[in-house]
Amino acid sequence: MTRSGIDADALIRQLSEATAKQGDAVRESVQQATLKALQGRELTLKSIKDALKVVTQAVSAGAAQNPVASGVDALLAQAVAGMDAAVLRAVEASRRALEQLVEQGVALQDKQLKKAMTDLEKMEDTLFGAIHKAAGDAAGGLQAPWAQALQGFKQDGSATGGAAQNAIQQLTTQSQAALREGRALGQRTAQALLDHYAALASGVLIGMSGAMAGAPGADVGSAAKPSRAKR
């Protein structure tokens, strides 16, 4: 079964057969599945939500079939880490795309740019929301492990959330510098660029995924989690 660009059956099979010691492999597979689900569509909050829905459904289906009940908690925690790693890539792709727009003179005062930065900040909430829904939709035996994985990420702070906060700070500083230097685009030109922002970000994500394929260290485990206020 292939949905949204991923082989859901393969992911279900892996989760159903995985042991607690195979957590790293689960994390990597979930990360790659999420990234594949995002490819071929504009990078928006809705596309991220849709991709996470497909992946969490496959993870739940596989975990429900896993006979090693004592290891399911750890496997779901690793699955959440894999999704976090993928959305972290989406944050970075969005940051790079916005950086290009700001560098060309699109001002932060533009409503569409403001919305794009707000959406960037909401990516963590979209991730948490998808996991919360997975917990609510899962069979009784998986509700608690999903909820526990979500609670752990809320307490520690996801890589996605920290990266989004840093990206917004960097973009704000960059925009202020561009304004001081007199780099500003006309409204029509800026509008044309912003209209293609989501497609640009998607292209950046595809390029990043291709460049980093086969690099197992490029995941949440190797991404610094900037300090930020706990929610």
Side-chain angles (χ1 to χ4, degrees):
M1 176 174 63
T2 300
R3 296 192 299 172
S4 299
I6 74 168
D7 186 345
D9 281 344
L11 191 58
I12 290 170
R13 185 166 55 253
Q14 181 177 11
L15 265 293
S16 70
E17 298 172 352
T19 67
K21 294 181 179 180
Q22 295 172 314
D24 288 345
V26 168
R27 181 181 60 194
E28 178 65 19
S29 293
V30 170
Q31 177 185 355
Q32 293 304 320
T34 307
L35 288 170
K36 286 180 181 178
L38 285 171
Q39 292 179 6
R41 61 176 71 187
E42 293 188 344
L43 189 57
T44 64
L45 284 178
K46 184 181 185 306
S47 66
I48 292 172
K49 181 179 178 179
D50 290 345
L52 292 171
K53 178 180 179 180
V54 172
V55 172
T56 54
Q57 287 176 342
V59 170
S60 281
Q65 299 173 26
N66 194 306
V68 188
S70 61
V72 170
D73 289 16
L75 292 177
L76 288 184
Q78 291 292 349
V80 171
M83 286 181 275
D84 187 26
V87 182
L88 172 62
R89 297 268 188 94
V91 167
E92 176 61 15
S94 298
R95 183 195 68 77
R96 293 186 188 184
L98 288 172
E99 188 176 61
Q100 292 182 42
L101 300 185
V102 172
E103 184 66 26
Q104 293 182 62
V106 178
L108 284 181
Q109 290 79 5
D110 189 287
K111 289 183 180 180
Q112 277 185 267
L113 186 56
K114 283 184 178 179
K115 181 183 183 304
M117 291 182 67
T118 298
D119 287 352
L120 185 63
E121 193 171 20
K122 289 180 179 178
M123 286 190 185
E124 181 185 54
D125 287 339
T126 300
L127 172 63
F128 288 161
I131 300 167
H132 179 76
K133 190 173 190 316
D137 293 345
L142 291 179
Q143 288 179 353
W146 268 124
Q148 183 177 343
L150 175 60
Q151 185 61 30
F153 263 65
K154 282 188 173 181
Q155 289 177 349
D156 298 339
S158 69
T160 292
Q165 292 295 328
N166 280 349
I168 291 170
Q169 292 173 6
Q170 293 171 13
L171 289 164
T172 300
T173 299
Q174 182 186 1
S175 178
Q176 291 170 345
L179 184 63
R180 287 194 301 268
E181 295 169 7
R183 281 181 280 137
L185 290 175
Q187 183 176 359
R188 185 171 299 178
T189 304
Q191 184 69 46
L193 289 173
L194 286 164
D195 285 346
H196 294 89
Y197 156 69
L200 173 62
S202 177
V204 173
L205 180 63
I206 291 172
M208 288 172 56
S209 299
M212 300 176 80
D219 57 16
V220 166
S222 62
K225 291 187 180 180
S227 60
R228 58 194 185 93
K230 299 285 178 67
R231 299 184 175 222

